[in-house]
Amino acid sequence: MRDFLDQVDGALDGGHYYVALVSALAIPDIFGALGHESGVATGERYAAWFDENMPDIYGHKLPRMDEPFFSGGAAYGFRCSLLHQARTGGHPGGYSRVVFYEPGNSSNVFHLNVMGDVINIDVRWFCRDLTTSARVWLNANEADPVVAANLAASIQRYPDGLKGLAGGSPVIG
């Protein structure tokens, strides 16, 4: 899993913000499943992992919203919209969309703000918050027998290949 987290950060560092964002949105799915005996991801596990592990700032309330802006449930809904329909609209609270700011020519950072009827998030902060939270969780939980068993069954990168496959070429499997 550390290779995966490193590659999400690498996508950010390389300016590949779509790839970083889509990959980062999978982190609560993966880590929520790692911590469960079944090893299966669900929306409830996604939301719970997000709420328990992401910085508290994502749980604050914005104007016109009764619930926290980007709770685990809201994050899961956004993840589904983005990954399955490539959409960022339809956010709770009457906002028209969520936009992720990329680094630009300004030193300003726009993160968790409302601009008219649009909510904005800084793509770098959001993705790094997810990868950092996942690393902290992994360090604290990887010795747990359930997590260890699920990690052993998870996809891994083999930089020197697998014996008997692909002549020593790197593989993911």
Side-chain angles (χ1 to χ4, degrees):
M1 280 305 125
R2 285 182 178 84
D3 280 342
F4 173 70
L5 299 173
D6 290 345
Q7 288 192 19
V8 174
D9 287 340
L12 276 177
D13 294 340
H16 304 287
Y17 301 115
Y18 273 130
V19 172
L21 180 59
V22 168
S23 299
L25 285 168
I27 290 170
D29 263 333
I30 294 166
F31 283 76
L34 285 173
H36 193 268
E37 289 179 1
S38 71
V40 175
T42 67
E44 288 179 1
R45 290 185 192 124
Y46 185 107
W49 191 93
F50 190 97
D51 287 339
E52 292 168 10
N53 294 284
M54 285 291 280
D56 290 341
I57 190 170
Y58 293 95
H60 81 274
K61 294 180 183 179
L62 295 179
R64 300 193 321 233
M65 295 188 77
D66 295 327
E67 298 294 322
F69 154 63
F70 222 65
S71 66
Y76 182 73
F78 177 77
R79 163 238 181 253
C80 291
S81 294
L82 184 63
L83 296 182
H84 300 297
Q85 290 91 36
R87 295 183 182 172
T88 66
H91 194 277
Y95 295 98
S96 66
R97 67 187 320 165
V98 178
V99 296
F100 286 83
Y101 275 82
E102 297 181 6
N105 298 330
S106 170
S107 62
N108 294 330
V109 174
F110 300 102
H111 189 55
L112 296 176
N113 298 298
V114 176
M115 297 177 179
D117 68 344
V118 174
I119 297 173
N120 76 277
I121 299 173
D122 183 281
V123 69
R124 296 164 303 173
W125 283 26
F126 181 72
C127 292
R128 294 253 195 248
D129 283 343
L130 279 164
T131 59
T132 299
S133 296
R135 285 185 180 93
V136 168
W137 185 93
L138 190 57
N139 289 338
N141 292 283
E142 65 188 328
D144 177 276
V146 169
V147 174
N150 285 330
L151 280 170
S154 296
I155 192 169
Q156 296 180 40
R157 182 170 181 269
Y158 299 91
D160 298 320
L162 287 172
K163 188 175 182 173
L165 293 177
S169 296
V171 297
I172 299 170

